[in-house]
Amino acid sequence: MSGIKIYFLFLVAAFACSCDSKEEQKLADRPNIIFIMADDHAYQAISAYGGGLNETPNIDRIAKEGAIFTRATVTNSICAPSRAVLLTGKHSFMNGKVDNIQAFDWDQDNFPKLMQANGYQTALIGKIHLDGQPQGFDYSMVLPGQGDYYNPDFLINGETKRIEGYVTDITTDLALDWLENGRDKDKPFLLLYHQKAPHRNWKPAPEYLTLYDDKEFTPPANFFDNETNYQGRGTAAREQKMEIDEIMRWGRDLMLEVNPFGDSTGLAGELKRFNPEQLKAWRAAFDPKNEVFLKAYGQLDEKTLSLEKKREIAIWKYNRYIKNYLRTIKSVDDGVGEVLDYLEANGLAENTIVVYTSDQGFYLGEHGWFDKRFMYEESFRTPLLVKYPKEIKPGTTIKNLVQNLDFAPTFLDYAGIKAPKEIQGESFRKLMSGESDKWRDAVYYTYYEYPAEHSVKRHNGVATDRYKLIHFYYDIDEWELYDLEKDPHEMQSVYDDPSYAEVREMMHKKFEEVRAKYGDSDANDKRFLEEYMEVYNRRNNN
């Protein structure tokens, strides 16, 4: 072989090695992403938001070291549809998962698939609440359906296994184990680390069963909103079934094995899942408290109760609810701390984006309610905290209207992957880095699961930084308009107020613009209603 040929082959080999090295380096420089999602975690119950209910020092660390969003929202405030929006970056009416009944199509694109195809190690651990085998993950270990707090079953790449212990702790341990032993450490990673807590029914960990026993919580100022029949609001607020006082179950929600009428509540059946040690701790914590309540209110006759006595019982229910809810969050916060400590100890903190959020907001007694579903602020807003030392300054506050619709394009942006055209969200990376404050001026919302549990009527709407227009439809046709600057708790619709005529016209125009932008229509509403009612009627006729 001539000297020229040898030299040429040497150059080709050297160039190839150089390209491979550059590609490997480029891949190694991409940030890791840990996306932590709780279920039904209200922003009011994160101390960084200043609600004063509880302390979440580890979740707060993310805000102190990065950014906190004060107006993050969801497109559809219910579990499975929210998660479908997260994965696809598309509104519910585009990805097909409009409610908890319709199937989710895992065959459509999602951002983990795109990251997996572009060199990322991907894992999903915890709750996803979407039927079918998760796609886009090298490893998945998920709870079937809602999952159980004690001794939960997990689907490990499709195989069912029961693990003894408390679900929040187990989920954290599994996430840490994957970070340490399950991934290829030469590749960037994407970890979706999803907790069941604080979803109903709120069973705290053994070590927190008596947390807050020495504290009495004062309900929100509008807790007894029902006493005025939700004056200032419409039919939807009056006909919901989310009231702590009226709807919460003595057993499943309030942890009484016998109710004040002396009847069994069915809780004993749920406690059969506990092992002897867990059951002993549970009874030691709850039996004395339950006995005190039953001694004071046992054999009550609700028909003859005075208003004062009804209020006393309602406040007791609120305290039983809020304490258990906050107790489950304490375990979530512990897990966040363990993950942050792991990143620090292993030199991963600098190049890892850590996100904490919830699949939607939740009512903690506002209007006397629990649950979510409405476009009203407590369920429409969701907590969002993000840290990434390379780009986000500690203590950053962001007031822009971001949505769960925006997670997919944001993560793809960080990974250097072009978002497909069908993704409807926008990357908020530049908002967090401070490079730009350009952003949308309105967000769109839809809710479809009615008739159903909690009886929250079908509605859609549009929100700006100050105003919110909501349309309730199907069995009613009512509009509500709120001025959030003057009425942050949404106590009085100003839709029919003559002084808001121009605002009403402006918001109707915005509603139509945003609806058209995302491809929604009355035809969509009709189609999804027909599909839903077919399943609903079949279930209720069997």
Side-chain angles (χ1 to χ4, degrees), residues 382-398:
T382 190
L384 177 57
L385 309 95
V386 186
K387 69 183 286 286
Y388 181 39
K390 285 188 174 181
E391 290 192 16
I392 306 173
K393 293 180 180 178
T396 297
T397 297
I398 298 174

Side-chain angles (χ1 to χ4, degrees), residues 256-294:
L256 288 167
E257 290 183 63
V258 177
N259 67 26
F261 311 105
D263 301 322
S264 173
T265 64
L267 179 64
E270 291 190 24
L271 297 180
K272 289 179 180 178
R273 194 176 189 93
F274 288 39
N275 66 33
E277 184 179 352
Q278 293 165 346
L279 186 59
K280 181 180 179 181
W282 182 273
R283 293 204 179 284
F286 280 104
D287 285 357
K289 292 180 281 195
N290 291 346
E291 288 171 11
V292 170
F293 173 76
L294 292 172

Side-chain angles (χ1 to χ4, degrees), residues 139-415:
Y139 178 76
S140 67
M141 189 166 184
V142 300
L143 295 164
Q146 298 288 3
D148 291 284
Y149 274 107
Y150 278 79
N151 309 321
D153 295 329
F154 277 86
L155 296 172
I156 308 171
N157 286 333
E159 298 287 328
T160 302
K161 179 182 179 181
R162 181 164 296 188
I163 301 177
E164 191 158 300
Y166 186 68
V167 68
T168 307
D169 300 337
I170 294 168
T171 303
T172 299
D173 290 343
L174 293 171
L176 291 169
D177 181 67
W178 184 81
L179 287 170
E180 181 62 23
N181 303 308
R183 64 187 174 90
D184 181 345
K185 295 185 179 180
D186 292 327
K187 293 183 178 181
F189 63 81
L190 165 70
L191 170 61
L192 272 57
Y193 158 47
H194 290 190
Q195 293 287 14
K196 168 185 171 62
H199 192 279
R200 186 189 193 191
N201 56 346
W202 308 278
K203 289 189 174 75
E207 63 268 32
Y208 295 129
L209 291 171
T210 60
L211 182 66
Y212 304 118
D213 273 1
D214 59 347
K215 181 177 175 61
E216 184 75 7
F217 287 89
T218 301
N222 58 6
F223 181 69
F224 292 106
D225 204 359
N226 65 334
E227 292 181 0
T228 64
N229 199 25
Y230 304 97
Q231 185 178 354
R233 274 63 49 84
T235 305
R238 290 192 295 272
E239 293 188 0
Q240 52 63 42
K241 296 191 182 303
M242 305 196 319
E243 293 170 353
I244 291 170
D245 186 30
E246 297 291 335
I247 303 301
M248 277 193 168
R249 290 165 285 196
W250 290 109
R252 186 184 178 200
D253 297 324
L254 300 171
M255 309 305 166
L256 288 167
E257 290 183 63
V258 177
N259 67 26
F261 311 105
D263 301 322
S264 173
T265 64
L267 179 64
E270 291 190 24
L271 297 180
K272 289 179 180 178
R273 194 176 189 93
F274 288 39
N275 66 33
E277 184 179 352
Q278 293 165 346
L279 186 59
K280 181 180 179 181
W282 182 273
R283 293 204 179 284
F286 280 104
D287 285 357
K289 292 180 281 195
N290 291 346
E291 288 171 11
V292 170
F293 173 76
L294 292 172
K295 185 176 181 180
Y297 298 102
Q299 302 303 317
L300 58 81
D301 182 354
E302 289 186 305
K303 294 180 181 178
T304 60
L305 282 179
S306 65
L307 178 61
E308 180 183 5
K309 194 63 68 174
K310 285 181 179 179
R311 282 185 161 221
E312 284 180 18
I313 295 170
I315 290 172
W316 181 90
K317 289 179 177 180
Y318 166 76
N319 269 271
R320 174 56 62 93
Y321 157 53
I322 202 68
K323 289 178 183 181
N324 283 336
Y325 179 89
L326 296 177
R327 287 164 180 153
T328 66
I329 288 172
K330 184 68 172 70
S331 296
V332 174
D333 188 68
D334 290 345
V336 171
E338 290 184 55
V339 170
L340 294 178
D341 289 347
Y342 177 87
L343 296 177
E344 293 285 353
N346 289 273
L348 295 167
E350 185 70 16
N351 196 41
T352 300
I353 299 165
V354 180
V355 179
Y356 186 88
T357 191
S358 173
D359 52 353
Q360 62 261 324
F362 212 69
Y363 293 96
L364 303 184
E366 297 87 3
H367 309 290
W369 298 344
F370 69 105
D371 207 66
K372 55 258 184 178
R373 303 168 196 260
F374 275 114
M375 196 188 174
Y376 302 140
E377 284 296 282
E378 289 82 5
S379 49
F380 180 48
R381 279 181 58 186
T382 190
L384 177 57
L385 309 95
V386 186
K387 69 183 286 286
Y388 181 39
K390 285 188 174 181
E391 290 192 16
I392 306 173
K393 293 180 180 178
T396 297
T397 297
I398 298 174
K399 300 178 181 179
N400 303 75
L401 286 161
V402 302
Q403 289 195 289
N404 52 348
L405 191 71
D406 302 318
F407 287 128
T410 300
F411 297 151
L412 293 174
D413 186 358
Y414 278 115

